[in-house]
Amino acid sequence: MAERVRVRAMMPPGHVRTPAYLRGRIGVIERELGRFADPERRAYSLPFDQRRLVRVRFTMAEIWGPDAEAPNDTLDAEIFEHWLEPA
Amino acid sequence: MPHDHPHSHDEGAVHSHEGMSPSGHPYRADNDTPLTYWQVMEIAIRELLIEKGHTDAAEITRQIDRMDARSPADGARLVARAWHDPAFRERLLADGSAACREMDLDIGPMHLIAVENSEAVHNLVVCTLCSCYPRNLLGLPPDWYKTRAYRSRAVREPRAVLREFGVDLPGDTTVRVHDSTADMRYVVIPARPRGTEGWSETELAALVTRDSMIGTGLPRQP
Amino acid sequence: MTEPEQKTDPIPESLAAGRRWHDMGGDISGDGGGPIPREGHDYALWEKRIDALMVLCGEKGLMTVDGLRRVLEDMGPESFETMGYYERWIASVNQNLLEGGVYTTEELGTRMEAVARRGASYGEAAGG
């Protein structure tokens, strides 16, 4: 059973790599990618950690609701661990 | 890009044209247009970096040559190898970067994920936050990939986008859109055209278009 | 598969204004919803040089791709409409190198003035 996660619905200013259209949406982890430099720190030349990055797969129905072009089509995106919570 | 020379292009052919670049566009004169503020800044920064010992003219030229040498033809070779060699296809799907390096493709530090089309699945690649592209494999991206319209629509109405590019998918094909949001880059392995049994890798590579590796196109039919 | 439940915007209304201009996915109101322009162009030498400078500055630890994107985003939507791709890049590269102390604003200003006085074309100003 794939792990279900929800993208956090935060809206901070500044440099982040989590698209707004995915915030608050639930998907499943498609694969683990390893650990990568935290762009939210490195963008400002601050000391940064290597953080867990995963690919999350969402259905178009989950993202766009009844307006989805084809509900069972999917969207995969790479999301850092601190943007995910258990769903 | 208000100052660029617009002209139409085809589906992203990777075969060479006489007098054309690898991407199928005419080469353009670089030095005959009025000097702009940003060009002045480029020259000044380049000279300061050289004077301060951070780089030199030869290194900059080598980097330009290295980038110029990358083109969709490299991706076409990769796809053709995957079509031709089932064991290589498995390795490519398992670790795209390692498979490229196995073919001596100069992809630098790029992390590549290969996604495969079939009768059941069609993959499409976009970067909604900027314009991430597998440039170390395919060369620099086409201008349309960087437009607001493509970045906005590809995740919202991918089938309409595909129709605009001339790809009309059956309703029972699942579309998988890949948004390059972080450190991965993506290449689509298009489905191998029917009627190519027994073809060599070189013959197969000639069917692979740039757009078929982004997902907005299909390979040429034999 | 997801149940066909009623979808509400999961972002509280008072936070919606935090969406940033470069975060374009799914925003098909206005220009984002139109046909995809298919005109293309090949990159000129000055554009390739900017690309090369960015790659080299990254390899040498003078700046990062995250820093490049951060400044591009902070330049705002007007820059996306009025400047070319590599014009925005060199503006961002410059901002990052200034912030990193690679050179000073005075050094850059002095050199830009000297470059501009060399001639009216890129070829003349770049010294061939």
Side-chain angles (χ1 to χ4, degrees):
Chain A
M1 187 66 191
E3 183 184 351
R4 279 164 52 91
V5 288
R6 184 196 311 271
V7 181
R8 297 179 63 188
M10 305 185 288
M11 294 294 278
H15 179 72
V16 303
R17 295 298 294 180
T18 305
Y21 72 92
L22 293 176
R23 297 183 197 173
R25 304 303 184 191
I26 295 172
V28 299
I29 294 182
E30 189 264 350
R31 73 179 83 177
E32 298 281 341
L33 298 169
R35 302 184 78 83
F36 289 87
D38 180 356
E40 297 170 21
R41 300 278 296 175
R42 197 167 65 170
Y44 298 92
S45 302
L46 296 168
F48 56 87
D49 292 327
Q50 302 285 322
R51 309 198 76 159
R52 177 183 171 221
L53 183 67
V54 296
R55 262 164 62 83
V56 183
R57 177 165 292 173
F58 307 83
T59 65
M60 292 296 189
E62 166 66 15
I63 301 171
W64 309 115
D67 295 336
E69 185 184 45
N72 295 331
D73 287 349
T74 64
L75 185 294
D76 292 13
E78 303 145 46
I79 310 287
F80 278 96
E81 58 181 345
H82 56 288
W83 277 90
L84 296 174
E85 55 196 11
Chain B
M1 300 191 178
H3 54 280
D4 293 330
H5 299 194
H7 57 86
S8 65
H9 73 84
D10 64 10
E11 79 279 21
V14 300
H15 55 283
S16 60
H17 302 259
E18 192 68 31
M20 305 284 267
S21 75
S23 59
H25 297 125
Y27 285 110
R28 46 184 280 181
D30 293 330
N31 293 348
D32 60 353
T33 49
L35 188 63
T36 69
Y37 183 83
W38 306 107
Q39 290 172 341
V40 171
M41 184 179 286
E42 177 271 307
I43 297 165
I45 291 173
R46 177 159 46 86
E47 292 180 356
L48 288 173
L49 287 170
I50 290 171
E51 285 174 15
K52 289 174 181 292
H54 294 297
T55 184
D56 57 45
E59 186 176 53
I60 295 166
T61 299
R62 277 199 304 278
Q63 174 57 32
I64 291 173
D65 290 346
R66 188 181 185 194
M67 202 60 228
D68 273 348
R70 294 164 169 149
S71 82
D74 295 331
R77 283 176 53 221
L78 185 78
V79 169
R81 174 74 55 91
W83 284 349
H84 195 260
D85 178 346
F88 180 79
R89 170 185 163 276
E90 293 291 334
R91 296 198 292 280
L92 176 60
L93 291 171
D95 186 338
S97 300
C100 288
R101 294 187 183 111
E102 181 185 326
M103 289 186 69
D104 288 328
L105 292 166
D106 170 29
I107 62 164
M110 182 174 69
H111 296 277
L112 185 72
I113 291 179
V115 291
E116 184 181 50
N117 288 351
S118 65
E119 287 193 4
V121 173
H122 184 92
N123 293 281
L124 179 69
V125 179
V126 64
C127 173
T128 62
L129 294 174
C130 45
S131 45
C132 299
Y133 184 77
R135 47 182 272 146
N136 284 6
L137 176 65
L138 302 183
L140 296 173
D143 285 341
W144 59 257
Y145 187 84
K146 303 186 282 192
T147 61
R148 177 182 290 276
Y150 184 70
R151 289 167 54 183
S152 300
R153 293 175 57 205
V155 297
R156 179 69 184 80
E157 46 179 23
R159 290 168 184 266
V161 168
L162 288 169
R163 280 194 297 275
E164 209 168 293
F165 279 83
V167 178
D168 204 354
L169 295 175
D172 58 356
T173 301
T174 300
V175 174
R176 297 204 189 288
V177 181
H178 304 269
D179 191 352
S180 312
T181 48
D183 292 80
M184 301 294 123
R185 301 294 175 265
Y186 299 89
V187 64
V188 176
I189 310 172
R192 178 172 175 166
R194 295 174 192 277
T196 59
E197 295 75 15
W199 284 35
S200 71
E201 278 186 42
T202 306
E203 291 168 322
L204 289 169
L207 300 178
V208 183
T209 63
R210 179 196 65 206
D211 289 6
S212 74
M213 294 181 280
I214 303 173
T216 51
L218 299 174
R220 296 188 185 84
Q221 297 302 307
Chain C
M1 290 298 104
T2 305
E3 302 79 26
E5 64 197 47
Q6 179 62 37
K7 288 292 168 195
T8 55
D9 197 321
I11 297 172
E13 194 174 340
S14 57
L15 295 183
R19 180 161 180 165
R20 303 192 68 202
W21 71 273
H22 70 276
D23 189 353
M24 296 179 183
D27 180 11
I28 56 173
S29 62
D31 292 346
I36 296 160
R38 300 289 291 282
E39 299 81 15
H41 87 292
D42 257 321
Y43 297 101
L45 179 58
W46 66 272
E47 295 176 295
K48 292 181 179 186
R49 280 173 164 163
I50 291 168
D51 195 273
L53 289 177
M54 170 56 210
V55 172
L56 292 171
C57 286
E59 288 177 1
K60 294 168 191 300
L62 300 177
M63 62 177 290
T64 68
V65 69
D66 303 291
L68 178 82
R69 292 177 182 142
R70 184 251 309 169
V71 172
L72 289 171
E73 293 162 7
D74 289 350
M75 285 165 62
E78 302 81 11
S79 69
F80 191 78
E81 306 300 337
T82 60
M83 294 167 69
Y85 186 78
Y86 282 106
E87 292 176 340
R88 284 181 281 125
W89 266 43
I90 196 63
S92 176
V93 166
N94 174 58
Q95 182 72 25
N96 276 271
L97 296 180
L98 279 175
E99 290 175 0
V102 177
Y103 51 74
T104 65
T105 303
E106 182 187 358
E107 286 176 303
L108 179 70
T110 302
R111 180 56 54 97
M112 284 181 69
E113 186 189 358
V115 169
R117 291 191 189 287
R118 291 176 193 161
S121 72
Y122 181 77
E124 290 170 289

